[in-house]
Each structure stands twice: as C-alpha cells, then as structure tokens.
C-alpha cells in the first residue's frame, strides 16, 4: 500500500511540475520604463542619420573614407543625395545575410566596405563584401553608399 501511494504521489508531482512549466513559449516582456530625466536629447542641428563609410579595393588596400548624413543629405560623400535615397529605398540596408540562407557561388570582386554610425536612430557597425551571391546582392542594393570603388593597385 505504501508503494502505491508513493508511486501515485510522485506521478502526481511530476504532472504538477510539468504543467507549471507550460506556458507561452514566446515570453512577452514589456520594455523597461525609462526613469524620468533620462531622455536622449539630440541637438536640433544634428542629423539623425550619420554614417562613416570606408571602402577598400581589397582587404589589404588603403581605404577611402566618407562621412554621410541624411535628412538632410550631406557630409563629404560625393553623391550624398543618391546614397541617402538608396538607403531609404532599402528595406533594412544594414541587416546581415541570415546564417541559414543558401547563396550562389558568384564572386563579385575583392572590394570591402565598412559602415559605422547611426541610421534611423539605431547603431550601425557592419561590413560589406562581394564574395558570394548574397553578399553581392547586399552590396548592390545600396551601391551608391560606397561611391566610386577605388581600383586595385
């Protein structure tokens, strides 16, 4: 009789614990409330989009560096308006290629570009290459941002 009670009690506890573990797999969390007085303040003359772009003809080549601001278009980028238009047109211009994406083996060249700064209030720190079809598409989508790519010496 004792063993039967022990078996029933342990299986009952197991069921209670498993039910307690059930719930929504996607936890809903509310963003933490920001304490008063800690709002981010940006000077009115400071552009919301401020990027530093470095473009190299190859990984070992010297870099050409541009500063690009958008809204309004500016900086020392030679075609700032075109670059800002390309960024605005792209859905998520700085998103990396998903790790599970299959890419064609199309080599677009040795060029490399890095982009750092702020775009639409979000920090940006990413690298663009042209070593496969996915990376080439990513580069081509916002090509005006990279300006005239320096030639390999």
């Amino acid at each position: 009789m004792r063993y039967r009670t022990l078996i029933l009690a342990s299986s009952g506890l197991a069921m209670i614990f498993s039910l307690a573990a059930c719930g929504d797999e996607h936890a809903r969390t509310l963003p933490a409330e920001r304490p008063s007085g800690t709002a981010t303040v940006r000077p009115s003359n400071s552009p919301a989009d401020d990027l530093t772009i470095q473009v190299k003809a190859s990984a070992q080549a010297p870099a050409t560096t541009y500063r690009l601001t958008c809204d309004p278009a500016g900086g020392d980028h030679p075609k700032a308006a075109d670059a800002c238009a390309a960024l605005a047109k792209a859905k998520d211009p700085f998103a990396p290629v998903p790790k599970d994406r299959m890419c064609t083996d199309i080599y677009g060249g040795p060029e490399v570009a890095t982009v750092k700064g702020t775009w639409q209030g979000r920090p940006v720190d990413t690298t663009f290459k042209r070593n496969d079809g996915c990376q080439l598409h990513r580069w081509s989508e916002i090509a005006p941002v990279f300006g005239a790519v320096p030639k390999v010496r």
Side-chain angles (χ1 to χ4, degrees):
M1 184 73 164
R2 251 197 297 183
Y3 293 112
R4 187 182 306 165
T5 305
L6 184 59
I7 290 173
L8 290 174
S10 62
S11 64
L13 283 173
M15 184 170 50
I16 289 171
F17 287 133
S18 66
L19 289 175
C22 290
D24 191 1
E25 290 181 20
H26 302 286
R28 292 181 180 94
T29 57
L30 297 175
E33 289 187 27
R34 191 179 284 191
S36 63
T38 61
T40 303
V41 177
R42 185 172 41 102
S44 60
N45 61 351
S46 173
D49 305 322
D50 190 352
L51 301 169
T52 300
I53 300 121
Q54 286 191 334
V55 184
K56 295 181 178 185
S58 69
Q60 299 79 23
T64 300
T65 304
Y66 304 112
R67 180 168 177 251
L68 174 66
T69 59
C70 296
D71 200 20
D76 62 0
H77 193 285
K79 295 187 178 182
D82 293 342
C84 291
L87 288 171
K89 184 179 174 184
K91 182 178 177 183
D92 191 358
F94 303 112
V97 174
K99 296 205 184 292
D100 61 346
R101 168 108 12 112
M102 291 181 63
C103 300
T104 59
D105 196 19
I106 298 174
Y107 181 71
E111 297 84 5
V112 178
T114 59
V115 181
K116 295 180 181 184
T118 304
W119 175 253
Q120 297 182 341
R122 295 184 327 209
V124 173
D125 187 354
T126 189
T127 301
F128 289 81
K129 296 181 181 182
R130 298 166 48 97
N131 58 339
D132 66 37
C134 293
Q135 294 294 338
L136 187 57
H137 172 75
R138 189 171 171 244
W139 179 293
S140 299
E141 189 176 28
I142 61 168
V145 170
F146 306 121
V149 177
K151 300 290 181 208
V152 178
R153 294 182 185 181

